Amino acid sequence: DKVEKEVFEFNETFESNVNISANVGVVMTATPIYGLNTFKSFISFELIDAILSGMRYPSGLLHKRLRGEKLVYVVHALPMQFSTQDFLFIYALTSKDKVLETRDLIEKSINDINDEISLEQLDLAKSQVLFNFQNKMQNINTAAKEVKNQLNRYGRFITVDDYERILNEITVNELSEMIKEVFSNNTYFVLVNSKDSKSDSLTKND
């Protein structure tokens, strides 16, 4: 389908343009996100990102587990858009012999937040997401980019006060429902063992 084609094209571009050390492996995931047609839905999307890997500084399940187990050099989740399709994208750099273990822990983290999130996780994510937005709006370059993105996506933009109000309205139950909706879609895993092996697999987690 169209989404799978875009993921394959991204994978081919990555492999063609990124030099990977013979000792380094890469795990990437891409989960298509639909229905980001309101500010509240997009802010909720940012909260999922923050719960998984923090925002502006390392935290979240992925950092706690993968860095805690000394499996990765870096791990990060972020929202991305290819064409008009939104994705939750995760990438991790690990040693080539730890690729499968890294993939399994990423998958476990996704499954765990799909099962349950705590109020503590939500509160921490809210503080990070709000700080990130405030920080962007204090810099003329990032503020201009943020306003442009909002206008392109929603036809209007919101102030920091409105952003905080919408953010504070999001409950644990509402975010849990969105997480379940997000991960009911296919998550594509791309595994790269070395510069010679290219990608070992592009698989779906149904």
Side-chain angles (χ1 to χ4, degrees), residues 29 31 33 36 41-50 52-55 76-82 85-91 129 132 136 145-146 149 153:
T29 80
T31 306
I33 312 294
L36 298 182
S41 63
F42 190 81
I43 293 171
S44 297
F45 179 28
E46 292 181 309
L47 288 170
I48 297 171
D49 172 8
L52 279 172
S53 76
M55 191 164 286
H76 193 53
L78 68 160
M80 295 189 71
Q81 191 175 64
F82 305 130
Q85 177 62 56
D86 291 297
F87 288 90
L88 176 64
F89 183 73
I90 300 170
Y91 69 89
V129 166
N132 180 62
K136 285 192 292 186
K145 183 177 180 181
E146 177 66 24
N149 288 341
R153 186 182 287 270

Side-chain angles (χ1 to χ4, degrees), residues 9 33 42 77 141 159 177:
E9 288 175 351
I33 312 294
F42 190 81
N141 293 322
T159 65
E177 289 177 8

